[in-house]
Amino acid sequence: HDHKGAKLNAIRTRKGIEEADVVVVRFGEKYKQWNAAFDAGYAAALGKSIIVLSQDEHQHALKEVHAAALAVAEEPRQVVEILSYVLTSVLPE
């Protein structure tokens, strides 16, 4: 059942990436790194704008993913600020 569930989840994730204008990919201890890296690569292959959310200690390991991203954040608040700027053209204070 776990394998079937993973495949169904992959269908949902791919559909979301294909329909997205901006893709936020989160890396961290609680998140599966390989899945996130695959999703970032898929989004990049589709030409999507990517924001990566990752911890400072993963900088080196994710250098290629960061290079494909248009923005890199270390905290969720920074992602919100980036998206807010994209939508309003007003820089955060």
Side-chain angles (χ1 to χ4, degrees):
H1 294 305
D2 198 34
H3 186 67
K4 284 183 182 180
K7 286 189 171 196
L8 290 176
N9 192 47
I11 292 169
R12 184 179 59 84
T13 301
R14 287 181 192 175
K15 183 178 185 305
I17 291 171
E18 290 167 2
E19 293 177 355
D21 294 321
V22 178
V23 176
V24 178
V25 182
R26 182 174 185 168
F27 291 89
E29 293 178 24
K30 295 181 182 179
Y31 301 91
K32 294 181 180 179
Q33 306 297 308
W34 294 111
N35 288 351
F38 181 86
D39 294 343
Y42 186 62
L46 293 175
K48 301 296 180 172
S49 296
I50 302 169
I51 301 171
V52 172
L53 176 59
S54 62
Q55 298 172 355
D56 189 49
E57 61 263 22
H58 297 134
Q59 289 278 347
H60 181 72
L62 295 174
K63 64 183 178 290
E64 288 85 6
V65 175
H66 287 177
L70 295 180
V72 177
E74 292 182 9
E75 299 176 19
R77 171 188 54 78
Q78 293 171 314
V79 174
V80 172
E81 290 172 353
I82 292 165
L83 292 172
S84 177
Y85 173 73
V86 168
L87 294 172
T88 65
S89 299
V90 176
L91 288 171
E93 295 181 17

